[in-house]
Amino acid sequence: MSKQAKRKHHKHKKYSLPAAGSSPGLIFIDENALKPVIKLYKYNAELYEVKELSSLSNVAQIVADKSFTFWIEIKGYNSLEMFETLSSDFNVNKLVLEDITRTYQRPKFEEYEGYDFAVSRMLNLDENKELDNVQVSFLLTDNALFTLQETYEDCLEPIRARLRGGKGNIRIAGSSYLMYALMDIIVDTYFVILNAWSEDLDAVEDRLFDKPDKSVMFDTQMIKRNLIGIRRVVWPERDKLNDILRSDSTLVTEQTRLYIKDAYDHCIQIIDVVESLKEISISNLDMYLSMISNRMNEIMKVLTIISSIFIPLTFIAGIYGMNFAIQDPVTGKLLPKNMPELYAAHGYLYTMVGMGLIAVAQIIYFWRKGWFK
Amino acid sequence: MSKQAKRKHHKHKKYSLPAAGSSPGLIFIDENALKPVIKLYKYNAELYEVKELSSLSNVAQIVADKSFTFWIEIKGYNSLEMFETLSSDFNVNKLVLEDITRTYQRPKFEEYEGYDFAVSRMLNLDENKELDNVQVSFLLTDNALFTLQETYEDCLEPIRARLRGGKGNIRIAGSSYLMYALMDIIVDTYFVILNAWSEDLDAVEDRLFDKPDKSVMFDTQMIKRNLIGIRRVVWPERDKLNDILRSDSTLVTEQTRLYIKDAYDHCIQIIDVVESLKEISISNLDMYLSMISNRMNEIMKVLTIISSIFIPLTFIAGIYGMNFAIQDPVTGKLLPKNMPELYAAHGYLYTMVGMGLIAVAQIIYFWRKGWFK
Amino acid sequence: MSKQAKRKHHKHKKYSLPAAGSSPGLIFIDENALKPVIKLYKYNAELYEVKELSSLSNVAQIVADKSFTFWIEIKGYNSLEMFETLSSDFNVNKLVLEDITRTYQRPKFEEYEGYDFAVSRMLNLDENKELDNVQVSFLLTDNALFTLQETYEDCLEPIRARLRGGKGNIRIAGSSYLMYALMDIIVDTYFVILNAWSEDLDAVEDRLFDKPDKSVMFDTQMIKRNLIGIRRVVWPERDKLNDILRSDSTLVTEQTRLYIKDAYDHCIQIIDVVESLKEISISNLDMYLSMISNRMNEIMKVLTIISSIFIPLTFIAGIYGMNFAIQDPVTGKLLPKNMPELYAAHGYLYTMVGMGLIAVAQIIYFWRKGWFK
Amino acid sequence: MSKQAKRKHHKHKKYSLPAAGSSPGLIFIDENALKPVIKLYKYNAELYEVKELSSLSNVAQIVADKSFTFWIEIKGYNSLEMFETLSSDFNVNKLVLEDITRTYQRPKFEEYEGYDFAVSRMLNLDENKELDNVQVSFLLTDNALFTLQETYEDCLEPIRARLRGGKGNIRIAGSSYLMYALMDIIVDTYFVILNAWSEDLDAVEDRLFDKPDKSVMFDTQMIKRNLIGIRRVVWPERDKLNDILRSDSTLVTEQTRLYIKDAYDHCIQIIDVVESLKEISISNLDMYLSMISNRMNEIMKVLTIISSIFIPLTFIAGIYGMNFAIQDPVTGKLLPKNMPELYAAHGYLYTMVGMGLIAVAQIIYFWRKGWFK
Amino acid sequence: MSKQAKRKHHKHKKYSLPAAGSSPGLIFIDENALKPVIKLYKYNAELYEVKELSSLSNVAQIVADKSFTFWIEIKGYNSLEMFETLSSDFNVNKLVLEDITRTYQRPKFEEYEGYDFAVSRMLNLDENKELDNVQVSFLLTDNALFTLQETYEDCLEPIRARLRGGKGNIRIAGSSYLMYALMDIIVDTYFVILNAWSEDLDAVEDRLFDKPDKSVMFDTQMIKRNLIGIRRVVWPERDKLNDILRSDSTLVTEQTRLYIKDAYDHCIQIIDVVESLKEISISNLDMYLSMISNRMNEIMKVLTIISSIFIPLTFIAGIYGMNFAIQDPVTGKLLPKNMPELYAAHGYLYTMVGMGLIAVAQIIYFWRKGWFK
Ligand SMILES: [Mg+2]
Ligand SMILES: [Mg+2]
Ligand SMILES: [Mg+2]
Ligand SMILES: [Mg+2]
Ligand SMILES: [Mg+2]
Ligand SMILES: [Mg+2]
Ligand SMILES: [Mg+2]
Ligand SMILES: [Mg+2]
Ligand SMILES: [Mg+2]
Ligand SMILES: [Mg+2]
Ligand SMILES: [Mg+2]
Ligand SMILES: [Mg+2]
Ligand SMILES: [Mg+2]
Ligand SMILES: [Mg+2]
Ligand SMILES: [Mg+2]
Ligand SMILES: [Mg+2]
Ligand SMILES: [Mg+2]
Ligand SMILES: [Mg+2]
Ligand SMILES: [Mg+2]
Ligand SMILES: [Mg+2]
Ligand SMILES: [Mg+2]
Ligand SMILES: [Mg+2]
Ligand SMILES: [Mg+2]
Ligand SMILES: [Mg+2]
Ligand SMILES: [Mg+2]
Ligand SMILES: [Mg+2]
Ligand SMILES: [Mg+2]
Ligand SMILES: [Mg+2]
Ligand SMILES: [Mg+2]
Ligand SMILES: [Mg+2]
Ligand SMILES: [Mg+2]
């Protein structure tokens, strides 16, 4: 196995699970949790403001102003108090808070008294081409959207630019449209990742056709595994978008549903691409196996042709290398039946010709069988 | 790998995706977009006119005349203004316009306020036997049908001929019947493509039975992949036709639904053919693998028979080629136990007969094992 | 490949498809279409008459007599006028007439104004054991049944005998019962075909266990393909029978539905047999592949045992066949280190015994490894 | 192939099918049909009587006494009159009688006017470990149950014992409970059969791990096939029990439905075991194939090591076995460049040492490659 | 096969099934059943008491006090009287009691008059890394929960601690919440087991990439089988939780349903992990097979290169080892055509050079074919 292939084989990610039997609804703060960075975006058709907050303590008061839409962006979970404020001021269920902080949830959408809860999974290929998989949680009220994620990096900058720019629908379409816009950009990045893998697969396929070695097999298996990984995100994502479409939540506007339907279509297109790349991977692995078998056939043909031609000839040479004596060296007795060929005038010549004929016969035989291709 | 097989292995098509996070509903004009060519077909039972338009600007006015049916055929997307007219004059949703210009949509049917939107995928085998896959978008109103495609070529000429001819249903059955007729001809061309592949598969199958080499495997895999590609068009096409059937759109007449049901049947027949060809491909690949294994068996049998017969004989010849001396050449001491066979009167004869017997015994053994078939 | 296997590999059947874009509802008369033979069966509990008709022109008048049930049996499609009479006198939809004349329809059941339309597929093994697949179309009215097929041969004789005989339900149960009886006998012949294939599979299986060669693989693949072919008939047949059961057509009597349920059960039993035979085919192919691998193992064991025993012995014989001289023939110089074994009193004997020991040791080694089974 | 494996490979069972086109509802009496043995069980909480009847002629009268429950047990079908009595006295549909006498029905449940009809399949491993598969048909009325089977043997004795004993529910719970009890015992015997196969599979698995030969493959394939066979009984059995549960037949009491639900659970447990054993079979077959490949690797390693070491050495020995002469024997001319090694003082020694070094180098090479494990 | 692999191959667990035909609803007491240990937990927001009971005789009286919630924990089934008390005092159905004592039930939830019945399966990896699979049965009334299990060990201690601690919801949320808490902890332990297998799989994968031998195959197959085993628990567990969610049992409070939904999510996450690990197992087995084939290729290449180079050379050496005489030793007749090369001045040299050229040509040939990689 090449070093290269080995490098690509990395350990499966482990999540810190709750201790079995711990109380449900426990807010989980990891020991390495990052300090929370909270930003408040306040906007309507005319106005757009961004403010960094130190805590959520007076957000309830702020969002009471229904003439604005608010986006409260929370990154980093190292503050139990922050989650308790969500519970006390916004009546967020403890089970929801646990789902937010246990960041291995599948994409889902759930309706609660006064707010909706949703989960997306933000994927990103890091510099080693490994897949980062970050949970983004959404809490949606009538005029506010909370987004929560464990890490600082995200792929949401274009949305902020559109908010700042103030063009298009985004400043006037309310909190559910903002949630849609964020979910949509997350799904859009899946296309980017799939394009990268598709190019990898093309490159491996070139090697498969040019000079297949076992790295073709290892690399294809790794791509196939990545595809299986993304399937586990994208199928529940599709179900989630469908759940939003079918829900009768009053917090999701009719206009937003139209856009969600569009994101749902994108999600199905992604599923199409994933399934398609997976089938190409499987087909390439099948071809690789066939090519190994074919190559074995070729190796064996070389061995068999050479052995079959020379082993009988060597035997004949061996015959005439035997030392049966035509005269006993001790007694001088004549033994005229012992290898008289050796003393024939053209014995050597006839033998060489005979060998040549045997070789030619075999070559014709193998040629007829198509062994010389 | 043969050059031929390599030529067939082409890169996967890439679409220009929207930048992740771009505003939904953005009309996308590719830099290589073609100049739009717009044709207006105006017809009823008595009259049939075709006119080339330079823009859509007064189409809204034209189609207001409900005593005619109109077909507005748009080819080439290099005009933002044209799409904006669709938005302003015909109230077409921005998301729909995006779907029209992002030409990687799956076949689908959607109802909107005042119009229906549908997508078909026009397939065509180009001169290199590669599959062109062009999106045709439909906007259906009560007395008009807009069709939009990026390229100039199409397979719709027979419909124009029927319109011109004026026989049959087509001139009197309204805009939804025209949409059906166009969708139907697109689906009908799938049969043509499948027939071509079916013949390719037959040809490869002949080679499989006559003289299978690895091109059989490559070519079958390529056909199988093409089939997987067409499946991704034809299954959603079936769903689309079913959606039209089940929709309660008032724009699709009862009579048209009857015809759509017929196109739906054709679609299922195509699915039948696709699945069937796919199973034949898989079966051929399995046979090819069995044949490789069988051939390996045959190669090994040749090697084993020849080696097994001659290696022991060569050993015996080797024995009597040894130089053990019956008399020390230096001291002249007699060594009567050293290879007395060499000095026996019929040593050579007996040895040759013994070798012959061994060879015959082995041939009988292999023959009994069925190795000579 | 054996000639026999090649003979079984026949081209996939092609149907003459409508030209893409041709008007839907076009009646298709093949250039080789047979002259129509039309028979009219008129019967009730008391009376039974058969008459050959030259055209359908006054059938509408005849079937107006509601005190009889009529079976109009049409074979051969070479008469456009006949189909036009069906359209004009019986109000049969043009799309239905197209489905009747384009004889590649899947089994289906459709209700129309005043009549029901159904398709069955009549299968028959011809003398070469190839599958004939003939479309039989049914048009059912309240007291008449039209059956239409392209060819003259059929498997419906027993029904005619039962009509003639006049016993049982058939003379009094109306037109829908007659349609059931015909559909039932068509499905019953599938059992006959499956029994034939089951016996073929048994015969191939015997060869698999006795002396497997590659014809086992070819024949099993051919049977598997035939099974895949019949699946494509029998699954839609099941759906058709179910559609009749669930339909609220007034033309199908309650009593007939009971019988249709029985035919539906037969259809499921056939599906059971098909799936079962398919799994046996796959299992046999898997066994065949295992046996090839096993056989390769045996071939290699023979080669390895013989080579491993004799190659080292031949080497030893080669050693003592070397010509290192104990005395320089030219200078007469003594070279006492050069192969003194050759001049030892029992050199030959010891060498032979040593070779024997090596051979025995190897035989024990291979025997312990279980290579002699 | 071993004799043992061949013995296990038996022909697929054939049923005597109705002639295609025969009247539906024909009662089928096989030529080898057994003489009917009819037993009447009459019981309630207080009384229990068994009587052998010669015919069904006055059973209708007997079962009119609604203060008792009756079980009419019929074994052997050689009496057309008996079935005609069922038709005339109990109004049993002809199609039902056909299903009873054509004993290849799948498990099913059907409601008719005045009675319910059900089919179970009684499985039994005979002394050769082959599966007997006997159809048991049930006709259920409000206070009577008819059971019909072709053969005399059954597995229902424990039910008779419970009836005789009179304990438990069975004497008071009516005819539907009796039907449940019989169906339940039939399903329970499936567990017994699966346990036997599970033990067979364990035994084969032991051989797979200890000394795998091709009988492992044959035996596992046979078990897998048996499992596929039982699947075809147990899935429709599950559907049948579910049909009884969901039916609104007034003949099945609420209490009995509770018990049917319990039998349904057993059926699902059986399906679990079947699927599980099938997956183990497939896994064992995969392991067997891997082990064949591994063994081939080992055989080839032995061959390659021995050949690679000795073939070059034999070549060297061959070199010094050549007869190039240092002095022409005829002319006495000196040829000092011809094989002077042969006349060197330590030529033999150096050659032997050189050969030893080559062998050691190769052994190290192979050892490093891990070929000695 | 290594000893290690053999140790891992253990027999499939057998359950003691009821004798076929035994009365349904029979309470089954195994001969090795443990003495029952009964604990009564009585608690509300203020009070928490644990008491060990010797029998269930006056539990009915105790639980009549509706101001408390009761948990009656029963371990060990060796008391028929205990089950009879459940039947008489709590009206538990005999079929339920049978399901409790026949401990091979799948997870399920059933509603009865006055109580609900549920089954969970408690999994545990014992010290040999084998899976213990213990049935836990639940009987839920309005203010009491009975749990029953055959063995003494369990994984429920954290729940007892939470009850003692009195914090959180558990002391005030009633009997259905307690049932949820117990079910949840049982599902949570599945995560622990899957983590252990995931690590095993990682370790095997390391060996696959470093030095694959057949233990990789055996160990992966064992993990795959374990995964198939846990699938059979976790899919019905999911259905059970869903049944509770959808049921309209009044015994399960609205609040508890919210928590059950959370456990349902966990169950789906577990299914995700199981499917994912299974796909990785299959992928690793595929890679292992590819690697065996690759290795065979390498072995054969070594054999073929060495044989192909030296066999022809040995033949040439054999030629010049032949004893064709240039002068008859007896008659002294000159035979000048017999191997004059042997008496050429540079015969030996030319021969050696010729051999060298042949070897170099072959090496170049093999190198060009890429056989030296
Ligand atoms: Mg998955
Ligand atoms: Mg789409
Ligand atoms: Mg999509
Ligand atoms: Mg898809
Ligand atoms: Mg797919
Ligand atoms: Mg595939
Ligand atoms: Mg697809
Ligand atoms: Mg169709
Ligand atoms: Mg179709
Ligand atoms: Mg189909
Ligand atoms: Mg299919
Ligand atoms: Mg297939
Ligand atoms: Mg199919
Ligand atoms: Mg059936
Ligand atoms: Mg069936
Ligand atoms: Mg079936
Ligand atoms: Mg199946
Ligand atoms: Mg199978
Ligand atoms: Mg089946
Ligand atoms: Mg169950
Ligand atoms: Mg079960
Ligand atoms: Mg199951
Ligand atoms: Mg399964
Ligand atoms: Mg499996
Ligand atoms: Mg498989
Ligand atoms: Mg399962
Ligand atoms: Mg979840
Ligand atoms: Mg999950
Ligand atoms: Mg899943
Ligand atoms: Mg899955
Ligand atoms: Mg996989």
Side-chain angles (χ1 to χ4, degrees), chain D residues 310-335:
Chain D
F310 287 105
I311 285 179
L313 301 188
T314 302
F315 164 66
I316 293 172
I319 291 283
Y320 293 113
M322 293 193 298
N323 296 323
F324 285 97
I326 202 157
Q327 183 176 32
D328 191 310
V330 179
T331 62
K333 193 172 71 170
L334 276 187
L335 307 160

Side-chain angles (χ1 to χ4, degrees), chain E residues 49-61:
Chain E
E49 269 182 23
V50 191
K51 206 162 27 181
E52 190 152 341
L53 303 182
S54 59
S55 85
L56 294 179
S57 53
N58 47 0
V59 168
Q61 230 171 318

Side-chain angles (χ1 to χ4, degrees), chain E residues 116-282:
Chain E
D116 290 345
F117 170 54
V119 171
S120 283
R121 303 215 61 94
M122 191 160 65
L123 301 181
N124 187 41
L125 283 182
D126 67 16
E127 62 280 5
N128 300 326
K129 292 204 137 196
E130 303 205 359
L131 206 58
D132 271 349
N133 185 331
V134 174
Q135 175 173 329
V136 181
S137 302
F138 300 88
L139 295 169
L140 175 71
T141 71
D142 52 354
N143 72 327
L145 177 74
F146 294 78
T147 63
L148 302 102
Q149 66 176 76
E150 261 184 327
T151 56
Y152 292 154
E153 295 75 31
D154 67 28
C155 63
L156 310 174
E157 197 51 39
I159 305 300
R160 290 185 202 102
R162 278 160 57 196
L163 275 176
R164 262 195 313 274
K167 276 180 297 197
N169 214 2
I170 198 161
R171 286 267 284 275
I172 53 175
S175 56
S176 71
Y177 184 89
L178 177 64
M179 183 178 76
Y180 149 74
L182 295 170
M183 286 179 173
D184 183 55
I185 195 174
I186 287 171
V187 169
D188 285 351
T189 58
Y190 299 175
F191 274 116
V192 178
I193 293 165
L194 286 174
N195 268 348
W197 288 342
S198 172
E199 273 162 34
D200 287 358
L201 202 53
D202 270 346
V204 177
E205 202 168 320
D206 281 344
R207 267 155 51 210
L208 171 67
F209 279 70
D210 288 345
K211 47 179 183 62
D213 59 11
K214 65 192 158 197
S215 77
V216 167
M217 186 259 296
F218 284 115
D219 292 352
T220 311
Q221 285 281 15
M222 292 303 138
I223 293 170
K224 195 175 121 216
R225 245 186 232 190
N226 280 334
L227 289 166
I228 288 166
I230 208 170
R231 271 176 93 191
R232 284 176 53 205
V233 171
V234 81
W235 281 96
E237 177 70 28
R238 190 196 70 147
D239 294 341
K240 177 190 82 177
L241 293 170
N242 199 36
D243 285 350
I244 300 179
L245 276 174
R246 309 261 164 256
S247 83
D248 35 47
S249 167
T250 56
L251 301 174
V252 181
T253 65
E254 275 316 298
Q255 190 201 33
T256 298
R257 277 167 212 268
L258 218 60
Y259 285 94
I260 291 282
K261 174 72 178 62
D262 192 61
Y264 176 84
D265 279 2
H266 294 170
C267 204
I268 293 188
Q269 287 161 1
I270 286 167
I271 286 172
D272 265 2
V273 175
V274 170
E275 299 299 329
S276 179
L277 292 179
K278 203 180 151 208
E279 296 205 27
I280 291 173
S281 304
I282 290 172

